[in-house]
């Protein structure tokens, strides 16, 4: 693969740069309850040398009733400074699944104006499989100032998504599994309706990955989106269950050179709870919401 320090880098690239003074590695592991894994405990037991743990649930806007919404600028700055991450750093984010929650932290840093950030392709599983070094030591932290400029165009709220669904000026793409998108199974989060945003398309995030770990090539990514009926001439709003796997879609789009994409941060946790918002079921249909 071709390494891109602003999107995706290989384990070879990280191994080569691991001791660079301005490299910062973040363990962004996060798991759904059904996965039965404890991300912080696993980090404490073994992580890539020098990695800091990024707690997606804690570094969020906890004033919101919705899960792990993007944090305020002030909270983000204070937490990253406490990790010793700041201006001039190249950041590499990984997770314990391969490519899963790391994309969410990649997007969060970009939202805050930090663009020298990449996801580790294959994550910790690939790093382990290759016999690369791990440790259980706490990293040495030195404060570093971070200049934050929130990139408002990278995130959409429910009002903006509703307007986009009606006008059809964006492609709304849902990363959830097909049976959830079609409304054939109940949502794992209690109290949510089943189905999808009218007019949205479905690209289950796993279709962009090879064996759930590494990202497909840019040409393969393009074929996946086009095969789902996504018009790539339009800007894209990515959605999912709670705003985590939607970021895998954003990362894949960035990987293939498409930069006009945003995340619906509330995703189905928000849309599915609002009884006044329309819900569609069955396969994706062409055309805007009426």
């Amino acid at each position: 693969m071709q390494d891109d320090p602003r999107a995706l880098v290989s384990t070879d690239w990280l191994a080569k740069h691991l001791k660079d003074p301005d490299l910062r590695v973040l363990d962004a592991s996060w798991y759904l309850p059904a996965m039965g894994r404890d991300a912080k405990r696993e980090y404490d037991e073994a992580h890539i040398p020098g990695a800091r743990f990024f707690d997606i649930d804690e570094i969020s806007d906890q004033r919101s009733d919705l899960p792990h919404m993007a944090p305020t600028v002030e909270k983000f700055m204070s937490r990253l400074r406490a990790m010793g991450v700041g201006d001039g750093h190249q950041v590499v984010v990984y997770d314990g699944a391969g490519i899963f929650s790391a994309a969410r932290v990649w997007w969060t840093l970009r939202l805050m104006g930090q663009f020298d950030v990449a996801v580790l392709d294959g994550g910790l599983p690939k790093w382990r499989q290759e016999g690369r070094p791990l440790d259980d030591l706490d990293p040495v932290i030195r404060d570093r100032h971070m200049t934050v400029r929130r990139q408002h165009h990278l995130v959409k709220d429910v009002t903006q998504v509703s307007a986009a669904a009606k006008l059809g000026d964006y492609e709304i793409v849902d990363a959830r599994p097909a049976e959830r998108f079609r409304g054939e199974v109940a949502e794992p989060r209690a109290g949510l309706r089943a189905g999808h945003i009218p007019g949205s398309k479905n690209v289950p995030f796993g279709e962009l990955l090879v064996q759930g770990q590494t990202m497909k090539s840019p040409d393969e990514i393009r074929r996946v989106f086009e095969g789902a009926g996504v018009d790539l001439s339009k800007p894209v709003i990515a959605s999912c269950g709670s705003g985590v796997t939607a970021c895998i879609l954003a990362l894949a789009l960035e990987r293939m050179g498409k930069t006009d994409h945003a995340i619906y941060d509330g995703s189905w946790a928000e849309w599915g709870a609002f009884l006044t918002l329309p819900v569609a079921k069955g396969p994706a249909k062409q055309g805007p919401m009426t």
Side-chain angles (χ1 to χ4, degrees):
M1 62 167 279
Q2 183 176 355
D3 292 300
D4 181 354
R6 288 189 161 206
L8 196 71
V9 295
S10 65
T11 49
D12 284 341
W13 186 98
L14 181 57
K16 179 181 176 181
H17 293 277
L18 193 58
K19 295 185 179 179
D20 289 2
D22 284 330
L23 179 79
R24 294 293 180 269
V25 181
L26 301 180
D27 183 325
S29 300
W30 174 91
Y31 303 108
L32 295 163
M35 294 178 174
R37 295 178 66 175
D38 184 330
K40 182 59 166 63
R41 181 182 57 77
E42 291 182 18
Y43 165 83
D44 289 338
E45 291 173 353
H47 52 259
I48 293 176
R52 288 91 160 125
F53 184 73
F54 189 108
D55 188 333
I56 287 176
D57 285 326
E58 198 284 321
I59 307 175
S60 67
D61 185 356
Q62 294 181 328
R63 302 168 302 177
S64 173
D65 293 334
L66 297 169
H68 39 254
M69 294 287 282
T72 63
V73 166
E74 294 76 18
K75 185 171 188 178
F76 178 83
M77 288 176 66
S78 73
R79 297 299 189 270
L80 271 288
R81 182 167 184 169
M83 290 184 208
V85 180
D87 293 344
H89 283 149
Q90 168 68 51
V91 178
V92 174
V93 191
Y94 73 88
D95 63 54
I99 294 181
F100 186 58
S101 52
R104 172 69 187 191
V105 174
W106 169 82
W107 172 79
T108 303
L109 267 75
R110 289 170 58 86
L111 178 66
M112 299 299 177
Q114 308 299 311
F115 288 94
D116 292 325
V117 53
V119 169
L120 180 63
D121 196 30
L124 192 60
K126 190 170 190 289
W127 185 267
R128 281 183 182 275
Q129 289 160 10
E130 294 167 349
R132 300 188 188 273
L134 295 167
D135 72 30
D136 58 359
L137 304 175
D138 292 331
V140 177
I141 302 295
R142 296 181 180 88
D143 269 10
R144 183 85 158 242
H145 174 74
M146 176 178 283
T147 304
V148 173
R149 297 183 181 90
R150 187 176 166 99
Q151 308 293 302
H152 296 284
H153 65 284
L154 293 180
V155 65
K156 301 295 182 185
D157 63 22
V158 65
T159 302
Q160 292 168 311
V161 175
S162 181
K166 290 175 182 175
L167 296 173
D169 52 348
Y170 286 80
E171 285 281 47
I172 302 170
V173 187
D174 193 321
R176 291 177 300 155
E179 61 271 19
R180 286 174 62 190
F181 177 86
R182 295 192 297 260
E184 295 169 355
V185 296
E187 281 294 300
R189 191 176 301 277
L192 300 183
R193 297 169 294 167
H196 59 265
I197 299 169
S200 61
K201 309 293 172 53
N202 186 209
V203 176
F205 74 90
E207 294 186 4
L208 300 168
L209 305 176
V210 178
Q211 296 181 332
Q213 284 192 10
T214 55
M215 187 157 279
K216 291 182 176 179
S217 71
D219 286 345
E220 290 172 317
I221 290 167
R222 180 176 294 276
R223 286 195 289 272
V224 170
F225 278 99
E226 290 177 343
V230 177
D231 181 353
L232 292 171
S233 70
K234 293 181 180 181
V236 171
I237 299 171
S239 179
C240 61
S242 63
V244 173
T245 59
C247 298
I248 299 174
L249 270 58
L251 178 65
L253 291 166
E254 191 75 18
R255 178 75 175 143
M256 58 172 260
K258 183 172 176 60
T259 59
D260 53 345
H261 51 78
I263 297 296
Y264 172 24
D265 203 13
S267 283
W268 198 252
E270 181 175 41
W271 191 283
F274 273 105
L275 299 180
T276 55
L277 293 172
V279 168
K281 293 190 177 184
K285 295 180 180 178
Q286 305 298 318
M289 180 173 77
T290 56

